[in-house]
Amino acid sequence: MQPEVPDSQTTTLTPAQVSRIETDVHPTKTPRPLEEKIKLDIEHALVEDDPRIWSNARKNAILFIISGASMIAGLCANIQNPANAQIEQQLHASNGDISLSLSLFILVQGNFPVLWSAVSEIKGRKLVYLLSVTLFTVGSAIVAVSRTIGLVIGMRVIQAAGSSAVIAIGAATLADIYEPHQRGTMMGVYYSAPLLGPSLGPIVGGALTQGLDWRAVFWFLVIWGGVIFAAFLFLFKDTFRKERSLTYQNVLKRRIRERELTREKEAVPAEETGANEKKASERGEEGSQTSKDLEAQPVVVPAAAIKEVKLSLADVNPFPPYLRILSRKNNVAILIPSGLLFAFSFSITYTCARTLALYYNYDALKTGLVLLSYGIGSVTGSILGGRWSDRTLARLKAANGGTSFPEMRLESTKVAMWWLPPSIVGYAWVCQERVHISAMCVMLFLAGFFSIWMYASTLAYIVDANTGRSSSAVATNSSFRGASAFIAAEIAVPLQDAIGDGGLYTLWAGLMLLAELMILLVLYKGRAWREASIEKEKEKSG
């Protein structure tokens, strides 16, 4: 039995608008009776070539392609690190220049998905993938031939913008093709690819720098970008469907109302235009309010209207969807711990490399091999945590009479909550006391395993709790992650120098405890908050 779907997951045109559009598109077709309404869950609106019913082979191919693309995001953030010494020497750069290239990269990579997401909700996923990978590849090529550090920094920003799209659109693509009860597992598999990046980056970067030079690192990224571009161009079929996008239908309804008003003005004498506008305004008052939030409406925009009215990039405004996500208390309460979990992951790989270089005298290649233990722990936690998340959701749904709600998924995080803070404290003092490297590897594995176990469920929850706005929700999550990681990158070294690894990661253990408490808060209060937001949005829409 399908879970009960709240009205918040549907969209509408007024019956008069439905009739008008269908008559325009099909003049010979009998208009739909005004009293007739179509009510559908926005995620299951009828569409042509439904991605949800594609074969498993095609779905797996899509999962493989976007995972390969997402690895770019993880790789290129720190693949430069082993080459920093050569870059400083050859381009006469300072430590501050190198730090700026890294911190700006992570900041832009975290926040640019908000724009990519908005474009993808108008023009589809495939176009965004192709544009973004092209931008990344061109940026990488220019870095590889750069003769000044300023150009390197500028092109690293372009790289970041290009590599950022898959962070938001990848999860939205999975939401397009998989049902909610499958998403935890698939999110876990998908997210394992970028998690390997921070571990593989130093290994690949170190090997290329030592074997060739620092420019080879960026030529490697050019080749990778070219392969991914070809995969998207020839093997990827767009999964976006306009009927299932609240963002698209929001813009569509506004355009339809504007067109109707224009026609009414043209149909009456000039002296009557003012009176006609007044009447139209009175009739459309409820519709005008409706444009503020379509989630609370009961009628799906017909396919005929969608085909007739073509939207362009001029209709893209990334900020309303972003602010709409932040207007819900449950979203904000889960985005904060999500950002903290990502910032922790970025901080531990960044500072661990520094500790290994300073106190263990490890070169770039050995450092990368040690950090691989964190990457393996993260990948394992992502895959197993995603599967456990789906199992937990299925179990609780069965116990609830076949009805589920997104907050059920967060129950699966409890398993990891007991172990994450102790693992981080263990890592802190293993580093502080300069214990044998094997102990550090064990602690890195555990910290990666339990932190990403939790993150896999929070990411799936963010998608499930924002039906019809999955790409906007994940883009907002990416923005929180990027801002959190930027702050972590800026304060990590000063804190490490001031209080040591022991103090720094004991502090991080406390922050992870706070993140866990916020996840529990969403688990127990999130449903009430979400439903209250829905009611509030209904009231605003009239």
mmCIF file of all heavy atoms in Angstrom, residues 128-175:
data_model
loop_
_atom_site.group_PDB
_atom_site.id
_atom_site.type_symbol
_atom_site.label_atom_id
_atom_site.label_comp_id
_atom_site.label_asym_id
_atom_site.label_seq_id
_atom_site.Cartn_x
_atom_site.Cartn_y
_atom_site.Cartn_z
ATOM 1 N N VAL A 128 22.811 20.448 -17.768
ATOM 2 C CA VAL A 128 23.632 20.946 -16.659
ATOM 3 C C VAL A 128 24.897 20.112 -16.517
ATOM 4 O O VAL A 128 25.988 20.654 -16.326
ATOM 5 C CB VAL A 128 22.825 20.944 -15.348
ATOM 6 C CG1 VAL A 128 23.734 21.240 -14.161
ATOM 7 C CG2 VAL A 128 21.712 21.981 -15.418
ATOM 8 N N TYR A 129 24.759 18.790 -16.622
ATOM 9 C CA TYR A 129 25.945 17.933 -16.541
ATOM 10 C C TYR A 129 26.956 18.292 -17.630
ATOM 11 O O TYR A 129 28.161 18.432 -17.368
ATOM 12 C CB TYR A 129 25.547 16.464 -16.689
ATOM 13 C CG TYR A 129 24.924 15.847 -15.456
ATOM 14 C CD1 TYR A 129 23.776 15.064 -15.550
ATOM 15 C CD2 TYR A 129 25.483 16.017 -14.200
ATOM 16 C CE1 TYR A 129 23.205 14.485 -14.441
ATOM 17 C CE2 TYR A 129 24.917 15.440 -13.074
ATOM 18 C CZ TYR A 129 23.769 14.669 -13.192
ATOM 19 O OH TYR A 129 23.214 14.109 -12.088
ATOM 20 N N LEU A 130 26.489 18.443 -18.858
ATOM 21 C CA LEU A 130 27.402 18.724 -19.969
ATOM 22 C C LEU A 130 28.072 20.088 -19.810
ATOM 23 O O LEU A 130 29.285 20.228 -20.021
ATOM 24 C CB LEU A 130 26.637 18.655 -21.293
ATOM 25 C CG LEU A 130 26.142 17.265 -21.708
ATOM 26 C CD1 LEU A 130 25.287 17.347 -22.963
ATOM 27 C CD2 LEU A 130 27.305 16.307 -21.935
ATOM 28 N N LEU A 131 27.300 21.098 -19.435
ATOM 29 C CA LEU A 131 27.872 22.435 -19.249
ATOM 30 C C LEU A 131 28.897 22.453 -18.120
ATOM 31 O O LEU A 131 29.983 23.028 -18.252
ATOM 32 C CB LEU A 131 26.762 23.444 -18.958
ATOM 33 C CG LEU A 131 25.846 23.829 -20.123
ATOM 34 C CD1 LEU A 131 24.729 24.742 -19.633
ATOM 35 C CD2 LEU A 131 26.647 24.510 -21.226
ATOM 36 N N SER A 132 28.543 21.817 -17.002
ATOM 37 C CA SER A 132 29.419 21.867 -15.835
ATOM 38 C C SER A 132 30.715 21.094 -16.058
ATOM 39 O O SER A 132 31.794 21.555 -15.676
ATOM 40 C CB SER A 132 28.689 21.326 -14.595
ATOM 41 O OG SER A 132 28.352 19.964 -14.756
ATOM 42 N N VAL A 133 30.622 19.914 -16.680
ATOM 43 C CA VAL A 133 31.836 19.127 -16.937
ATOM 44 C C VAL A 133 32.728 19.849 -17.948
ATOM 45 O O VAL A 133 33.964 19.819 -17.832
ATOM 46 C CB VAL A 133 31.473 17.708 -17.419
ATOM 47 C CG1 VAL A 133 32.734 16.938 -17.810
ATOM 48 C CG2 VAL A 133 30.727 16.947 -16.330
ATOM 49 N N THR A 134 32.123 20.514 -18.926
ATOM 50 C CA THR A 134 32.911 21.319 -19.867
ATOM 51 C C THR A 134 33.657 22.430 -19.140
ATOM 52 O O THR A 134 34.850 22.666 -19.377
ATOM 53 C CB THR A 134 31.985 21.931 -20.947
ATOM 54 O OG1 THR A 134 31.350 20.881 -21.675
ATOM 55 C CG2 THR A 134 32.787 22.808 -21.903
ATOM 56 N N LEU A 135 32.955 23.121 -18.246
ATOM 57 C CA LEU A 135 33.572 24.197 -17.471
ATOM 58 C C LEU A 135 34.732 23.668 -16.640
ATOM 59 O O LEU A 135 35.820 24.264 -16.592
ATOM 60 C CB LEU A 135 32.515 24.826 -16.555
ATOM 61 C CG LEU A 135 32.817 26.191 -15.939
ATOM 62 C CD1 LEU A 135 32.978 27.240 -17.025
ATOM 63 C CD2 LEU A 135 31.706 26.591 -14.974
ATOM 64 N N PHE A 136 34.531 22.516 -16.008
ATOM 65 C CA PHE A 136 35.584 21.909 -15.204
ATOM 66 C C PHE A 136 36.800 21.542 -16.057
ATOM 67 O O PHE A 136 37.949 21.807 -15.674
ATOM 68 C CB PHE A 136 35.044 20.656 -14.506
ATOM 69 C CG PHE A 136 36.121 19.794 -13.906
ATOM 70 C CD1 PHE A 136 36.671 20.108 -12.676
ATOM 71 C CD2 PHE A 136 36.586 18.676 -14.580
ATOM 72 C CE1 PHE A 136 37.675 19.326 -12.122
ATOM 73 C CE2 PHE A 136 37.589 17.884 -14.033
ATOM 74 C CZ PHE A 136 38.133 18.219 -12.801
ATOM 75 N N THR A 137 36.547 20.942 -17.214
ATOM 76 C CA THR A 137 37.636 20.480 -18.076
ATOM 77 C C THR A 137 38.444 21.657 -18.618
ATOM 78 O O THR A 137 39.686 21.623 -18.639
ATOM 79 C CB THR A 137 37.081 19.635 -19.233
ATOM 80 O OG1 THR A 137 36.271 18.573 -18.689
ATOM 81 C CG2 THR A 137 38.194 19.026 -20.053
ATOM 82 N N VAL A 138 37.753 22.711 -19.048
ATOM 83 C CA VAL A 138 38.441 23.899 -19.558
ATOM 84 C C VAL A 138 39.268 24.549 -18.442
ATOM 85 O O VAL A 138 40.426 24.944 -18.641
ATOM 86 C CB VAL A 138 37.430 24.906 -20.138
ATOM 87 C CG1 VAL A 138 38.103 26.243 -20.442
ATOM 88 C CG2 VAL A 138 36.788 24.341 -21.401
ATOM 89 N N GLY A 139 38.671 24.660 -17.241
ATOM 90 C CA GLY A 139 39.397 25.229 -16.105
ATOM 91 C C GLY A 139 40.650 24.437 -15.780
ATOM 92 O O GLY A 139 41.720 25.009 -15.515
ATOM 93 N N SER A 140 40.543 23.117 -15.816
ATOM 94 C CA SER A 140 41.696 22.257 -15.527
ATOM 95 C C SER A 140 42.807 22.452 -16.558
ATOM 96 O O SER A 140 43.996 22.505 -16.211
ATOM 97 C CB SER A 140 41.261 20.784 -15.517
ATOM 98 O OG SER A 140 40.279 20.543 -14.531
ATOM 99 N N ALA A 141 42.418 22.568 -17.832
ATOM 100 C CA ALA A 141 43.410 22.745 -18.894
ATOM 101 C C ALA A 141 44.163 24.066 -18.735
ATOM 102 O O ALA A 141 45.389 24.126 -18.931
ATOM 103 C CB ALA A 141 42.732 22.678 -20.262
ATOM 104 N N ILE A 142 43.431 25.121 -18.368
ATOM 105 C CA ILE A 142 44.092 26.426 -18.208
ATOM 106 C C ILE A 142 45.021 26.420 -16.990
ATOM 107 O O ILE A 142 46.112 27.000 -17.027
ATOM 108 C CB ILE A 142 43.047 27.552 -18.118
ATOM 109 C CG1 ILE A 142 42.252 27.624 -19.427
ATOM 110 C CG2 ILE A 142 43.722 28.896 -17.834
ATOM 111 C CD1 ILE A 142 41.136 28.646 -19.418
ATOM 112 N N VAL A 143 44.622 25.751 -15.906
ATOM 113 C CA VAL A 143 45.517 25.624 -14.758
ATOM 114 C C VAL A 143 46.803 24.922 -15.180
ATOM 115 O O VAL A 143 47.906 25.308 -14.789
ATOM 116 C CB VAL A 143 44.845 24.856 -13.599
ATOM 117 C CG1 VAL A 143 45.857 24.563 -12.490
ATOM 118 C CG2 VAL A 143 43.684 25.644 -13.020
ATOM 119 N N ALA A 144 46.665 23.886 -16.007
ATOM 120 C CA ALA A 144 47.832 23.088 -16.414
ATOM 121 C C ALA A 144 48.849 23.896 -17.207
ATOM 122 O O ALA A 144 50.038 23.549 -17.223
ATOM 123 C CB ALA A 144 47.375 21.880 -17.233
ATOM 124 N N VAL A 145 48.408 24.979 -17.859
ATOM 125 C CA VAL A 145 49.355 25.783 -18.651
ATOM 126 C C VAL A 145 49.620 27.155 -18.021
ATOM 127 O O VAL A 145 50.270 27.996 -18.644
ATOM 128 C CB VAL A 145 48.824 25.974 -20.095
ATOM 129 C CG1 VAL A 145 48.683 24.637 -20.796
ATOM 130 C CG2 VAL A 145 47.487 26.721 -20.109
ATOM 131 N N SER A 146 49.126 27.348 -16.793
ATOM 132 C CA SER A 146 49.251 28.657 -16.145
ATOM 133 C C SER A 146 50.709 29.002 -15.846
ATOM 134 O O SER A 146 51.517 28.131 -15.488
ATOM 135 C CB SER A 146 48.450 28.673 -14.839
ATOM 136 O OG SER A 146 47.080 28.560 -15.088
ATOM 137 N N ARG A 147 51.018 30.305 -15.950
ATOM 138 C CA ARG A 147 52.353 30.801 -15.638
ATOM 139 C C ARG A 147 52.357 31.723 -14.420
ATOM 140 O O ARG A 147 53.423 32.168 -13.993
ATOM 141 C CB ARG A 147 52.918 31.570 -16.843
ATOM 142 C CG ARG A 147 53.043 30.739 -18.105
ATOM 143 C CD ARG A 147 54.017 29.589 -17.931
ATOM 144 N NE ARG A 147 54.084 28.722 -19.113
ATOM 145 C CZ ARG A 147 54.782 27.598 -19.166
ATOM 146 N NH1 ARG A 147 55.465 27.197 -18.104
ATOM 147 N NH2 ARG A 147 54.787 26.872 -20.268
ATOM 148 N N THR A 148 51.186 32.022 -13.876
ATOM 149 C CA THR A 148 51.097 32.877 -12.685
ATOM 150 C C THR A 148 50.167 32.239 -11.669
ATOM 151 O O THR A 148 49.219 31.523 -12.037
ATOM 152 C CB THR A 148 50.559 34.274 -13.040
ATOM 153 O OG1 THR A 148 49.197 34.158 -13.498
ATOM 154 C CG2 THR A 148 51.405 34.934 -14.119
ATOM 155 N N ILE A 149 50.405 32.514 -10.397
ATOM 156 C CA ILE A 149 49.570 31.945 -9.340
ATOM 157 C C ILE A 149 48.168 32.555 -9.368
ATOM 158 O O ILE A 149 47.189 31.905 -9.020
ATOM 159 C CB ILE A 149 50.220 32.145 -7.950
ATOM 160 C CG1 ILE A 149 49.439 31.360 -6.874
ATOM 161 C CG2 ILE A 149 50.304 33.624 -7.596
ATOM 162 C CD1 ILE A 149 49.408 29.868 -7.077
ATOM 163 N N GLY A 150 48.052 33.805 -9.828
ATOM 164 C CA GLY A 150 46.735 34.432 -9.931
ATOM 165 C C GLY A 150 45.823 33.695 -10.886
ATOM 166 O O GLY A 150 44.636 33.488 -10.607
ATOM 167 N N LEU A 151 46.386 33.284 -12.030
ATOM 168 C CA LEU A 151 45.597 32.525 -12.997
ATOM 169 C C LEU A 151 45.229 31.161 -12.439
ATOM 170 O O LEU A 151 44.120 30.664 -12.669
ATOM 171 C CB LEU A 151 46.384 32.377 -14.304
ATOM 172 C CG LEU A 151 45.638 31.733 -15.476
ATOM 173 C CD1 LEU A 151 44.374 32.503 -15.807
ATOM 174 C CD2 LEU A 151 46.555 31.634 -16.700
ATOM 175 N N VAL A 152 46.144 30.537 -11.688
ATOM 176 C CA VAL A 152 45.843 29.249 -11.060
ATOM 177 C C VAL A 152 44.659 29.395 -10.107
ATOM 178 O O VAL A 152 43.717 28.589 -10.132
ATOM 179 C CB VAL A 152 47.074 28.705 -10.304
ATOM 180 C CG1 VAL A 152 46.678 27.517 -9.424
ATOM 181 C CG2 VAL A 152 48.159 28.280 -11.283
ATOM 182 N N ILE A 153 44.694 30.424 -9.263
ATOM 183 C CA ILE A 153 43.604 30.628 -8.302
ATOM 184 C C ILE A 153 42.284 30.863 -9.027
ATOM 185 O O ILE A 153 41.247 30.270 -8.694
ATOM 186 C CB ILE A 153 43.923 31.804 -7.363
ATOM 187 C CG1 ILE A 153 45.122 31.463 -6.470
ATOM 188 C CG2 ILE A 153 42.706 32.172 -6.506
ATOM 189 C CD1 ILE A 153 45.617 32.627 -5.631
ATOM 190 N N GLY A 154 42.310 31.713 -10.062
ATOM 191 C CA GLY A 154 41.089 31.995 -10.810
ATOM 192 C C GLY A 154 40.521 30.766 -11.486
ATOM 193 O O GLY A 154 39.305 30.514 -11.429
ATOM 194 N N MET A 155 41.367 29.966 -12.085
ATOM 195 C CA MET A 155 40.892 28.766 -12.776
ATOM 196 C C MET A 155 40.496 27.650 -11.803
ATOM 197 O O MET A 155 39.661 26.812 -12.128
ATOM 198 C CB MET A 155 41.962 28.266 -13.754
ATOM 199 C CG MET A 155 42.126 29.151 -14.984
ATOM 200 S SD MET A 155 40.589 29.379 -15.939
ATOM 201 C CE MET A 155 40.115 31.041 -15.417
ATOM 202 N N ARG A 156 41.096 27.650 -10.617
ATOM 203 C CA ARG A 156 40.640 26.701 -9.595
ATOM 204 C C ARG A 156 39.207 27.033 -9.175
ATOM 205 O O ARG A 156 38.410 26.131 -8.886
ATOM 206 C CB ARG A 156 41.564 26.741 -8.376
ATOM 207 C CG ARG A 156 42.895 26.064 -8.574
ATOM 208 C CD ARG A 156 42.779 24.552 -8.575
ATOM 209 N NE ARG A 156 42.652 24.013 -7.216
ATOM 210 C CZ ARG A 156 42.287 22.751 -6.943
ATOM 211 N NH1 ARG A 156 42.006 21.932 -7.928
ATOM 212 N NH2 ARG A 156 42.219 22.339 -5.702
ATOM 213 N N VAL A 157 38.860 28.306 -9.164
ATOM 214 C CA VAL A 157 37.478 28.703 -8.886
ATOM 215 C C VAL A 157 36.549 28.192 -9.996
ATOM 216 O O VAL A 157 35.452 27.683 -9.728
ATOM 217 C CB VAL A 157 37.373 30.236 -8.740
ATOM 218 C CG1 VAL A 157 35.913 30.684 -8.727
ATOM 219 C CG2 VAL A 157 38.075 30.702 -7.472
ATOM 220 N N ILE A 158 36.993 28.313 -11.251
ATOM 221 C CA ILE A 158 36.201 27.792 -12.376
ATOM 222 C C ILE A 158 36.061 26.274 -12.266
ATOM 223 O O ILE A 158 34.984 25.711 -12.500
ATOM 224 C CB ILE A 158 36.863 28.165 -13.719
ATOM 225 C CG1 ILE A 158 36.896 29.683 -13.896
ATOM 226 C CG2 ILE A 158 36.137 27.511 -14.881
ATOM 227 C CD1 ILE A 158 35.540 30.347 -13.895
ATOM 228 N N GLN A 159 37.153 25.611 -11.908
ATOM 229 C CA GLN A 159 37.100 24.154 -11.675
ATOM 230 C C GLN A 159 36.048 23.818 -10.625
ATOM 231 O O GLN A 159 35.259 22.881 -10.778
ATOM 232 C CB GLN A 159 38.450 23.665 -11.165
ATOM 233 C CG GLN A 159 39.436 23.212 -12.202
ATOM 234 C CD GLN A 159 40.602 22.504 -11.512
ATOM 235 O OE1 GLN A 159 41.136 22.971 -10.503
ATOM 236 N NE2 GLN A 159 40.997 21.369 -12.052
ATOM 237 N N ALA A 160 36.068 24.571 -9.542
ATOM 238 C CA ALA A 160 35.137 24.319 -8.442
ATOM 239 C C ALA A 160 33.698 24.471 -8.903
ATOM 240 O O ALA A 160 32.828 23.648 -8.572
ATOM 241 C CB ALA A 160 35.430 25.273 -7.287
ATOM 242 N N ALA A 161 33.425 25.534 -9.678
ATOM 243 C CA ALA A 161 32.067 25.751 -10.180
ATOM 244 C C ALA A 161 31.638 24.593 -11.080
ATOM 245 O O ALA A 161 30.501 24.101 -10.986
ATOM 246 C CB ALA A 161 31.998 27.074 -10.940
ATOM 247 N N GLY A 162 32.551 24.136 -11.950
ATOM 248 C CA GLY A 162 32.214 23.042 -12.847
ATOM 249 C C GLY A 162 32.029 21.713 -12.142
ATOM 250 O O GLY A 162 31.124 20.941 -12.471
ATOM 251 N N SER A 163 32.863 21.441 -11.151
ATOM 252 C CA SER A 163 32.786 20.149 -10.460
ATOM 253 C C SER A 163 31.634 20.078 -9.468
ATOM 254 O O SER A 163 31.321 19.007 -8.964
ATOM 255 C CB SER A 163 34.104 19.878 -9.723
ATOM 256 O OG SER A 163 34.286 20.792 -8.647
ATOM 257 N N SER A 164 30.995 21.210 -9.197
ATOM 258 C CA SER A 164 29.998 21.256 -8.133
ATOM 259 C C SER A 164 28.622 20.757 -8.550
ATOM 260 O O SER A 164 27.815 20.387 -7.700
ATOM 261 C CB SER A 164 29.863 22.694 -7.616
ATOM 262 O OG SER A 164 29.294 23.536 -8.608
ATOM 263 N N ALA A 165 28.325 20.743 -9.850
ATOM 264 C CA ALA A 165 26.963 20.436 -10.284
ATOM 265 C C ALA A 165 26.512 19.053 -9.832
ATOM 266 O O ALA A 165 25.396 18.879 -9.341
ATOM 267 C CB ALA A 165 26.857 20.562 -11.804
ATOM 268 N N VAL A 166 27.394 18.075 -10.011
ATOM 269 C CA VAL A 166 26.989 16.700 -9.708
ATOM 270 C C VAL A 166 26.694 16.507 -8.224
ATOM 271 O O VAL A 166 25.968 15.591 -7.840
ATOM 272 C CB VAL A 166 28.073 15.705 -10.187
ATOM 273 C CG1 VAL A 166 29.298 15.749 -9.280
ATOM 274 C CG2 VAL A 166 27.517 14.295 -10.289
ATOM 275 N N ILE A 167 27.233 17.382 -7.368
ATOM 276 C CA ILE A 167 26.963 17.278 -5.937
ATOM 277 C C ILE A 167 25.471 17.407 -5.666
ATOM 278 O O ILE A 167 24.901 16.669 -4.858
ATOM 279 C CB ILE A 167 27.752 18.359 -5.160
ATOM 280 C CG1 ILE A 167 29.254 18.117 -5.298
ATOM 281 C CG2 ILE A 167 27.344 18.386 -3.698
ATOM 282 C CD1 ILE A 167 30.105 19.216 -4.690
ATOM 283 N N ALA A 168 24.823 18.363 -6.348
ATOM 284 C CA ALA A 168 23.386 18.559 -6.155
ATOM 285 C C ALA A 168 22.565 17.730 -7.126
ATOM 286 O O ALA A 168 21.612 17.061 -6.738
ATOM 287 C CB ALA A 168 23.049 20.039 -6.318
ATOM 288 N N ILE A 169 22.947 17.774 -8.403
ATOM 289 C CA ILE A 169 22.120 17.150 -9.419
ATOM 290 C C ILE A 169 22.215 15.634 -9.378
ATOM 291 O O ILE A 169 21.299 14.921 -9.780
ATOM 292 C CB ILE A 169 22.490 17.665 -10.826
ATOM 293 C CG1 ILE A 169 22.644 19.176 -10.817
ATOM 294 C CG2 ILE A 169 21.442 17.263 -11.835
ATOM 295 C CD1 ILE A 169 21.425 19.928 -10.352
ATOM 296 N N GLY A 170 23.354 15.102 -8.873
ATOM 297 C CA GLY A 170 23.491 13.649 -8.786
ATOM 298 C C GLY A 170 22.443 13.040 -7.881
ATOM 299 O O GLY A 170 21.771 12.064 -8.242
ATOM 300 N N ALA A 171 22.265 13.604 -6.691
ATOM 301 C CA ALA A 171 21.250 13.083 -5.776
ATOM 302 C C ALA A 171 19.857 13.282 -6.347
ATOM 303 O O ALA A 171 18.965 12.430 -6.175
ATOM 304 C CB ALA A 171 21.370 13.785 -4.423
ATOM 305 N N ALA A 172 19.626 14.400 -7.043
ATOM 306 C CA ALA A 172 18.324 14.636 -7.662
ATOM 307 C C ALA A 172 18.057 13.615 -8.768
ATOM 308 O O ALA A 172 16.926 13.159 -8.943
ATOM 309 C CB ALA A 172 18.267 16.050 -8.224
ATOM 310 N N THR A 173 19.094 13.240 -9.505
ATOM 311 C CA THR A 173 18.944 12.234 -10.549
ATOM 312 C C THR A 173 18.524 10.897 -9.953
ATOM 313 O O THR A 173 17.657 10.200 -10.492
ATOM 314 C CB THR A 173 20.267 12.073 -11.321
ATOM 315 O OG1 THR A 173 20.607 13.320 -11.924
ATOM 316 C CG2 THR A 173 20.150 11.007 -12.403
ATOM 317 N N LEU A 174 19.126 10.538 -8.827
ATOM 318 C CA LEU A 174 18.731 9.292 -8.159
ATOM 319 C C LEU A 174 17.287 9.376 -7.674
ATOM 320 O O LEU A 174 16.551 8.388 -7.723
ATOM 321 C CB LEU A 174 19.666 9.004 -6.985
ATOM 322 C CG LEU A 174 21.131 8.731 -7.351
ATOM 323 C CD1 LEU A 174 21.921 8.331 -6.111
ATOM 324 C CD2 LEU A 174 21.245 7.641 -8.412
ATOM 325 N N ALA A 175 16.876 10.557 -7.209
ATOM 326 C CA ALA A 175 15.483 10.735 -6.794
ATOM 327 C C ALA A 175 14.537 10.604 -7.984
ATOM 328 O O ALA A 175 13.396 10.166 -7.835
ATOM 329 C CB ALA A 175 15.301 12.102 -6.125
#
